[in-house]
Every structure is written in C-alpha cells, then in structure tokens.
Amino acid sequence: MTASHSDSLVVLFGATAGAYGAKLGSDERELILLVWQVVDLQNKKVGTLHKSLVKADNLDLSDQCREVSGLTPEGLSKAEPLDRVLQQFSQLVSSDLKVLGRSSYTLCSDGQLLIRQVLHPETSKKNYLLSDCFYSFYDLRKEFHTCYPSSAAVKDQTIKTMAEYLGLGTDEAEEDFGVWQVKTMVAIIFSMLSEGCNHVFTEPETVKHKYETGPCSKSETVDSETVIRARGLPWQSSDQDIARFFKGLNIAKGGVALCLNSQGRRNGEALVRFVNSEQRDLALERHKHHMGSRYIEVYKATGEEFLKIAGGTSNEVAQFLSKENQVIIRMRGLPFTATQEDVLGFLGSECPVTGGKEGLLFVKYPDGRPTGDAFVLFSCEEYAQNALKKHKEILGKRYIELFRSTAAEVQQVLNRYMSTPLIPTLPTPIIPVIPPPYTIATGSIRDCVRLRGLPYTAGIDDILEFMGDATGDIKPHGVHMVLNQQGRPSGDAFIQMKSADKAFMVAQKCHKKMMKDRYVEVFQCSGEEMNFVLMGGTLNRSGLSPPPCKLPCLSPPAYAAFQTAAVIPAEAAALYQPQALLPSTRTPQASAAAPPAVTYYPAQAAQLYMNYTAYYPSPPVSPTTVGYIAAPPGAVAAAATATHTPILPQPGALVRMQGLPYNTGMKEILSFFQGYQYAPDDYNGLIQLSDQARSVLQAPKEWVCL
C-alpha cells in the first residue's frame, strides 16, 4: 500500500545482465538482482535487508556485469524468475511494515533507470502485472540535490558521490554487491532527515498507468526537446502498441502520431511527444530496442514536425475527438453511397458505436464528395475487437478494411483530403536533362543483371566499384538505379552487360558480395524484365507484373504521343551549365578489359530536350533514364520562339484522371468537367488523337480534358 505522503520508504536497488550505471537498461538486458530495505521515516528505523537473485531467460552476462557484480550464470540458474521475485518482494515488504508499525510506503531508488528503463519495460514484454507501488517512487538523486543545492548536478550524482559529499565513511569492498548500495542509500536518507536538514519527501515521481488519447491543435506550442521519431514500426502498430514500447515513460496526452505516406497508409514511423525533456532523453536510450521481432530506431524530432502530423484545425474533428478514452477504428473502402445507418448496420449490435451516429466521422473532399474512409469510436477494447473481426467483410458490393487508428491519424487523413485541390494542375514545365538518344535493351536475351539489397546510400560509383573488373563489360549508359514511389532509392539497380555470357559471369561472381555493411544479391535477367521494373512493374518469384498503366502517355522511356522532341537552342541551353546538371562521369581503374573512356550512365548533353513524359513517371523509375530540372520562364519562351514545335504554355493545363470506371466514355468525362475553360488549339499539335477524339475536341464547347 502506498500514499502520497508515506510514512515509510522502501530503498530499492537492482542490476541487469548487461550495462551498469548511467547505461542501465539501454541494452535491453534482463534484471538479475534486486536488493531492498524498509525505512521508517518518523522513527528512523529500518527493517530487514533483503537480497534476491533473479533468473533471466538469457544467462549470458556481460563482462561489465561479471566484473562489477561478481555474479555467475551458474548462481543465477538456481534463482527464481522475475514474477516470483516480485511476489516475494510484496510479501516481505508487507511483513516488515507490520513489524515497524507502518501501513504505507513509497519506493526510493538511485535515479530513475531501475524503475523506468528496466522494471516497467521488462514486465510489459513478459506480460507481468506490476503492483501499484511501482508507479510512484522517489528519485534519491533529485531529493539529495533539493536538500543540498550546492552538490553536483542531478545527472552527475551517484551513490558514491553523494556519500562522499556527506563524508560517510563506507567501504564498498566490505559488502556484497547491492548490499553496500542499499546501506549507503539508507545512511544518506538518515542524513537528510537529520535536524540540520529536516528534509521531507513530499513529491514522488509518477509513472502513467495508461496512455491517454486526445486531439492536438495546430495552435499549440510543442517543445522540440520533448519529441522523438520512432522508425521501423510494424505497419499494424497502434498508438497503444507504441505506448507499450515506451512503457515506464510518460507520454503527453495525445502524444503518439502515426505517420502516413502519400497514399494515406502508415509508413512505419511515428512521432511521440513526452511530458518533458527528461522523459525524451530516456526514450532516446531505447534506440534499437525491440517490438516483437523488429528493432525500432529512435531519433530526435521537432515540435514543428509533430504539429504537422498531429495538429488539426477542424472543429468537426475536435468535437469528434473530444470524447476521451475511446478506441478509434478506421474503416477504409466504404461505398461512396454509404450512409451512417449503413455503417451502424454493418458493425451490428455486438460492437455498439459510442454515441451512435455521433461516433462516426466520414472523411470527405472539400466539395463534400466521400473518400470511402470513416472513423468510428468505441467505448471499450471489447467492442473494438468485435469490430476488427469484421475486417474484409462485405458492405454493398465492396469489402471493408478495418484498422486500429489514433487521434493523430484522424487529423492527418482529414488534413490531407481537405487540402486536396478539386482539379489538380500540373507544375511549371519540367526540362528533362538527357543525353543524345540511346536505346534501353529489350527482348528476351538475358544480357542484364539485377542488383537487389543495395545500401540506400549507394551511388553509381559504389556499384562500379562493387562490379570490379566486370565494369569493362557494361554497355555505355547501362547502369539504372531504381527509385521507389517516394523518389528515394529502392535498393535495386539494373545493369546492361555486353552479352548474356558476361551477365552470367557477373551474377556468379558478385552474388551475395558485400557492399558497405550489406550483402547484395545479383541475378541475371533480360532487357524485357528490366524494362518492366523501370516502367513501374514488379519482378518477383511469381513472375512479371505489368506496370500500373501501359498507356503510351504514361510510359516515360517510350512516350508515343510526342514523337518529336522540342530542342532548346544554344542560347537557352547556355542557361544551364552541364556540370550543374549531371555529375562528372567516373573512369574505372585501368585494366586490360576496361577501356578508359567508357561512360556507364548518361553523359553530359550538349543540348537540352523537352520531354513531357517527365510529368508522368510511373514509379519506380530510373533516375539515369530521365533526369529533370525546373525550367525558368525565359528558357521556355526562348524554346517556343526559336522552334516551330509547339510546347505547353507556362500554366498547367493537363489533368490526369485516376480511378475511372472501365466503361467510361468521352461523354462521361466531358460531363464530369462541365463548366471548365477549354484548352487552346495549340494542344492539338502536341497530342496525337484519334479522328473521333479530334472531332469531339474541335467541336464548339467551353472546356476540354486530356
């Protein structure tokens, strides 16, 4: 039993099988020792000193642990497991309190690491239930500094430095490990209780029992010293899972924000806001701790980043999230005609929604059209679990996906859709910087190799060094790095070799060879397979999957709609120095098989070519196939004046439509855009159209869609 003003302290000391001192708990090692003693604050008496060894699942002790503690795996193998030791702890403390005539107590430890970084994380992982006494404790270092302000800073304090400051003559070598620490801590407490100090223990540290959800406004001020970024999370992780990973540390209300990618799906990252910088610093010590079988990276982040993800301005969202301690479920894939009654009927009576219709929030575009997403509130975990069992059940003619969600995710999704323009327009024209035309291999000849598992920091120079002597067998412009949908390196690359035999030799020689700290897989493939991936398709054990769109206007390397490129004259090209556009080519080390003047990726171009395929790259794309820079208005105007080839005007005018029904015709598209201004006739010369489409576009009207 504990109280805010306890009449007794339980001085507690512990050690793990790994790091000791300031790094206690940072290596995720298990507890192997607990030592404690009850202190009667009023009568200044002590109970029996207890020492318990703890049998860890992994008895491999670190060198530091063996040296400092003197413990051995043989001795620990005979000890009790942690759950039994914790039961004994509660029983022995209660017994000692009765002997001393006391009823309440609070733990007192040397710093915060034992409680926050060892006991809470380990018991959470092992699904042990900690008693309430472990959610409130005194930090002896803070109490000592409050009592003796002239002593060293709290972060620099140790049991030994506090004893030396008070002039306590204790010899660490005379006592067993753990026993000396507890006895010295008790002596320090009695000195603080002496008549000269009369220190009173009144404000204990607290550990939150449960993470509290809640909304966050963009108008709030978030201290950057309280925010971290967690990376590598399982995609199905909820805010409660993340709070459990940081068990023992106090997360601010609504302080877990799961990040979404450009498609609105979770990207494995989260921003977490703690109540103060001290908690944030402890969270950083959990870098590469594990959540299940995955290790989680933990880095510093800023308050601006947190507000960008978690902050919101919508009154509707604020009202929806105002109901506290609710479990949020996200529904995705709803029919656009679905109503509140349809959703409530789909969920059924076994999982009632909090507040009925008020517990539903449909996500809509700015013009009121539904997106197919909705968020639902449930009052307890049981109802939420019942709802999740309906994952991929049918509503209307569509299956519905259900996921756990968070208040921050609600804000992100609403912010994303509410900021979506009704009719997206293209950016300012892009000038691709490409060399004189060259051909990417096609066909079934297996004269290419695929590199998989490249470090994300690897460049073309690293690949050439990885290839070694085989660089002499690479075709000119034959190295193609593949990017993912976010424009970042995907870890894949394709290389065109001079023959199938050369490709076979490279695959045999370089397969699973190390590049930096990773091994790289090398496979022989054909030019056709390479093109499929560069155009947005996938290549795996199941075979080839075609690119997302096979229309000519969406395929960068072979864009049939623009047969003739508009060449920018030398005057305009002079605006761009070649050295500023492409890196200098790398000459491989001289060898008998490698001619010194071969370039393995696009060389510097003498002229710049307009190629509007840059507007529609179907990811993943190869940065060495199409590279681009923004064109200043002067360059575009000069190109238009100097050549007769028509080019797009500066304002964006093309609209790409995705998600059309397969039976959509020209009339349906024209009807959808009714009321918008039509395009100038100059576009007819840019885009090749069928006779039927050209007749429709040339007819009198107010707008046109391409």
Side-chain angles (χ1 to χ4, degrees):
M1 181 178 179
T2 61
S4 58
H5 297 281
S6 303
D7 49 21
S8 301
L9 296 179
V10 175
V11 178
L12 184 66
F13 177 83
T16 69
Y20 174 70
K23 289 294 182 179
L24 183 70
S26 63
D27 53 4
E28 220 174 355
R29 297 302 301 273
E30 296 171 278
L31 190 73
I32 60 171
L33 174 68
L34 273 181
V35 186
W36 69 90
Q37 189 173 27
V38 177
V39 178
D40 183 346
L41 295 178
Q42 295 186 4
N43 299 320
K44 298 181 182 179
K45 295 180 179 180
V46 296
T48 305
L49 190 147
H50 302 278
K51 177 179 179 180
S52 288
L53 298 181
V54 183
K55 183 180 180 180
D57 295 337
N58 181 6
L59 294 178
D60 184 18
L61 306 182
S62 69
D63 294 338
Q64 184 185 24
C65 176
R66 291 173 182 267
E67 180 182 353
V68 174
S69 68
L71 299 175
T72 63
E74 293 75 16
L76 292 173
S77 63
K78 302 176 183 178
E80 296 287 350
L82 179 59
D83 56 339
R84 294 289 300 277
V85 172
L86 292 176
Q87 291 177 4
Q88 294 174 6
F89 170 83
S90 298
Q91 294 170 359
L92 293 173
V93 168
S94 298
S95 176
D96 289 343
L97 287 174
K98 289 182 180 179
V99 172
L100 294 172
R102 297 299 168 191
S103 58
S104 64
Y105 68 93
T106 304
L107 298 180
C108 180
S109 65
D110 171 34
Q112 309 214 9
L113 300 182
L114 176 62
I115 305 292
R116 295 191 185 274
Q117 298 286 69
V118 178
L119 279 168
H120 277 281
E122 183 174 343
T123 54
S124 177
K125 288 180 181 178
K126 295 181 177 180
N127 292 318
Y128 297 158
L129 184 63
L130 275 177
S131 62
D132 290 343
C133 69
F134 291 98
Y135 288 86
S136 177
F137 67 98
Y138 288 106
D139 182 345
L140 183 59
R141 300 184 185 188
K142 289 185 178 180
E143 299 293 331
F144 184 84
H145 188 73
T146 301
C147 186
Y148 303 101
S150 60
S151 61
V154 173
K155 64 179 181 179
D156 299 325
Q157 297 278 18
T158 65
I159 296 176
K160 188 174 183 179
T161 59
M162 289 187 287
E164 291 175 349
Y165 183 88
L166 297 174
L168 300 177
T170 57
D171 187 0
E172 186 174 358
E174 293 181 357
E175 303 285 355
D176 291 340
F177 178 71
V179 174
W180 176 86
Q181 283 81 358
V182 170
K183 287 185 176 181
T184 305
M185 291 168 67
V186 171
I188 293 171
I189 291 172
F190 282 154
S191 296
M192 295 166 61
L193 296 174
S194 62
E195 295 182 359
C197 298
N198 292 323
H199 182 74
V200 180
F201 292 85
T202 56
E203 297 182 4
E205 302 286 320
T206 58
V207 179
K208 288 187 176 182
H209 283 74
K210 185 180 179 181
Y211 166 67
E212 298 177 278
T213 61
C216 176
S217 171
K218 284 188 179 295
S219 61
E220 288 187 33
T221 300
V222 178
D223 185 1
S224 293
E225 296 300 314
T226 64
V227 183
I228 62 94
R229 179 183 294 273
R231 181 177 298 164
L233 299 165
W235 67 269
Q236 70 272 28
S237 299
S238 67
D239 53 353
Q240 297 295 339
D241 295 324
I242 296 171
R244 185 175 182 181
F245 175 80
F246 289 108
K247 184 68 174 177
L249 306 180
N250 293 338
I251 299 175
K253 183 178 180 180
V256 177
L258 292 163
C259 302
L260 307 180
N261 61 19
S262 57
Q263 286 75 43
R265 300 177 184 271
R266 296 174 186 174
N267 63 3
E269 295 188 4
L271 293 171
V272 185
R273 176 188 179 190
F274 294 90
V275 295
N276 55 45
S277 59
E278 180 183 32
Q279 304 289 307
R280 192 281 306 266
D281 292 341
L282 292 175
L284 292 173
E285 294 295 328
R286 300 196 187 182
H287 179 60
K288 291 196 173 181
H289 282 204
H290 288 76
M291 179 184 289
S293 59
R294 300 179 62 123
Y295 72 81
I296 309 301
E297 300 174 354
V298 183
Y299 304 100
K300 291 181 179 180
T302 65
E304 290 77 10
E305 290 176 305
F306 182 83
L307 286 176
K308 183 178 179 181
I309 298 298
T313 57
S314 170
N315 292 330
E316 183 183 14
V317 176
Q319 183 177 359
F320 176 77
L321 297 175
S322 62
K323 302 178 180 64
E324 298 183 358
N325 299 321
Q326 300 290 309
V327 183
I328 305 175
I329 297 296
R330 179 180 179 181
M331 302 180 69
R332 191 165 62 197
L334 292 168
F336 295 145
T337 57
T339 64
Q340 292 177 326
E341 290 78 9
D342 294 333
V343 174
L344 293 175
F346 172 81
L347 294 171
S349 58
E350 63 271 19
C351 39
V353 177
T354 301
K357 294 181 180 180
E358 294 182 358
L360 296 176
L361 178 65
F362 285 91
V363 183
K364 299 180 181 180
Y365 289 107
D367 59 356
R369 290 181 295 118
T371 65
D373 280 27
F375 293 94
V376 189
L377 295 179
F378 296 99
S379 60
C380 65
E381 187 67 28
E382 179 184 358
Y383 295 159
Q385 288 290 347
N386 291 338
L388 291 173
K389 293 177 183 178
K390 297 180 179 292
H391 179 60
K392 292 197 174 180
E393 289 190 7
I394 302 298
L395 174 59
K397 295 182 179 180
R398 306 190 64 173
Y399 72 84
I400 311 302
E401 298 175 292
L402 290 94
F403 309 96
R404 287 183 174 274
S405 188
T406 66
E409 186 173 3
V410 176
Q411 298 281 21
Q412 280 185 86
V413 173
L414 266 294
N415 291 344
R416 184 185 303 275
Y417 281 113
M418 292 304 294
S419 62
T420 302
L422 297 180
I423 302 296
T425 58
L426 292 174
T428 56
I430 302 286
I431 296 183
V433 182
I434 63 175
Y438 60 91
T439 304
I440 294 183
T442 58
S444 59
I445 300 176
R446 299 175 65 80
D447 57 351
C448 303
V449 292
R450 179 185 185 183
L451 276 60
R452 188 170 67 186
L454 295 169
Y456 295 130
T457 57
I460 292 180
D461 286 351
D462 299 308
I463 292 177
L464 297 181
E465 183 177 350
F466 173 81
M467 298 286 288
D469 294 338
T471 53
D473 299 321
I474 302 176
K475 286 184 179 181
H477 319 299
V479 179
H480 305 277
M481 303 284 289
V482 182
L483 305 182
N484 61 19
Q485 293 182 2
Q486 287 74 43
R488 298 175 181 173
S490 66
D492 279 22
F494 286 91
I495 301 176
Q496 295 174 252
M497 307 301 294
K498 292 183 177 179
S499 68
D501 292 339
K502 299 295 185 183
F504 176 79
M505 294 299 296
V506 169
Q508 293 294 316
K509 179 181 178 181
C510 297
H511 184 56
K512 293 197 175 180
K513 180 180 173 182
M514 299 298 294
M515 179 186 293
K516 298 184 179 179
D517 58 345
R518 301 185 64 172
Y519 74 83
V520 179
E521 297 175 291
V522 183
F523 306 101
Q524 188 180 8
C525 66
S526 66
E528 179 185 15
E529 293 169 337
M530 178 185 73
N531 271 324
F532 261 75
V533 177
L534 294 181
M535 300 291 289
T538 57
L539 173 61
N540 50 41
R541 295 177 180 177
S542 302
L544 290 171
S545 298
C549 183
K550 291 291 289 180
L551 294 176
C553 63
L554 298 182
S555 301
Y559 193 80
F562 299 96
Q563 298 293 342
T564 304
V567 182
I568 295 182
E571 292 80 1
L575 294 171
Y576 306 97
Q577 297 298 324
Q579 291 80 2
L581 304 178
L582 286 171
S584 58
T585 58
R586 179 183 187 274
T587 302
Q589 297 179 354
S591 66
V598 176
T599 55
Y600 303 103
Y601 51 101
Q604 299 171 1
Q607 292 178 317
L608 305 181
Y609 292 81
M610 293 295 292
N611 184 336
Y612 290 98
T613 64
Y615 284 124
Y616 304 113
S618 299
V621 299
S622 168
T624 61
T625 302
V626 180
Y628 16 81
I629 60 171
V636 177
T641 304
T643 67
H644 295 289
T645 305
I647 63 175
L648 291 177
Q650 186 71 3
L654 295 178
V655 177
R656 178 183 179 183
M657 301 179 69
Q658 291 180 309
L660 291 171
Y662 293 117
N663 58 352
T664 300
M666 181 68 70
K667 291 183 179 180
E668 286 81 8
I669 296 177
L670 297 180
S671 176
F672 179 79
F673 283 106
Q674 186 173 5
Y676 290 92
Q677 185 177 0
Y678 70 91
D681 292 337
D682 289 345
Y683 288 96
N684 296 337
L686 262 178
I687 302 174
Q688 294 185 354
L689 303 169
S690 65
D691 293 339
Q692 179 184 4
R694 188 177 302 279
S695 64
V696 174
L697 292 177
Q698 290 177 346
K701 57 193 167 299
E702 296 182 350
W703 51 267
V704 70
C705 168
L706 300 177

